[in-house]
Amino acid sequence: MYSIIFIGIFIILICFFLIIIILIQNPKKGIFYQSFMDKNFRLFGIKRTNNFLEKLTWILSIFIFFLVLFFNYLLKHNL
């Protein structure tokens, strides 16, 4: 029972983190992108930061997919 609650909360937190990452990637809307890119331009460069954010988006998306599958498996076997 507690594992279902923990995984559900973990999925929600990862979804919020994924939303923030996607907002950072969109340069036309600009609020998060400008402040993030100005600080990290010196460390990574624009090309590397965009690649990192794109890879992180894919990794989090795949992780959420498998967590949702595992969550459904736990729900079916606990009832």
Side-chain angles (χ1 to χ4, degrees), residues 43-60:
L43 298 175
F44 299 118
I46 291 175
K47 182 101 173 143
R48 286 187 183 169
T49 303
N50 286 338
N51 287 340
F52 171 72
L53 291 174
E54 184 178 343
K55 288 178 184 178
L56 189 60
T57 302
W58 278 107
I59 290 169
L60 288 176

Side-chain angles (χ1 to χ4, degrees), residues 10-73:
F10 194 59
I11 289 172
I12 291 170
L13 289 175
I14 292 176
C15 287
F16 283 127
F17 187 61
L18 187 61
I19 289 169
I20 291 170
I21 300 248
I22 290 171
L23 286 174
I24 289 172
Q25 288 181 15
N26 192 355
K28 294 182 181 175
K29 302 288 181 198
I31 294 173
F32 295 112
Y33 180 79
Q34 290 299 326
S35 63
F36 182 76
M37 292 304 288
D38 288 342
K39 292 176 185 174
N40 290 326
F41 179 71
R42 289 177 238 129
L43 298 175
F44 299 118
I46 291 175
K47 182 101 173 143
R48 286 187 183 169
T49 303
N50 286 338
N51 287 340
F52 171 72
L53 291 174
E54 184 178 343
K55 288 178 184 178
L56 189 60
T57 302
W58 278 107
I59 290 169
L60 288 176
S61 301
I62 292 168
F63 192 62
I64 288 172
F65 176 74
F66 285 113
L67 275 177
V68 168
L69 289 178
F70 184 63
F71 186 74
N72 281 332
Y73 175 77

Side-chain angles (χ1 to χ4, degrees), residues 1-9 11 66-79:
M1 177 70 176
Y2 292 111
S3 61
I4 293 173
I5 295 170
F6 176 73
I7 292 174
I9 292 172
I11 289 172
F66 285 113
L67 275 177
V68 168
L69 289 178
F70 184 63
F71 186 74
N72 281 332
Y73 175 77
L74 286 179
L75 280 177
K76 285 185 180 182
H77 289 316
N78 282 339
L79 296 176

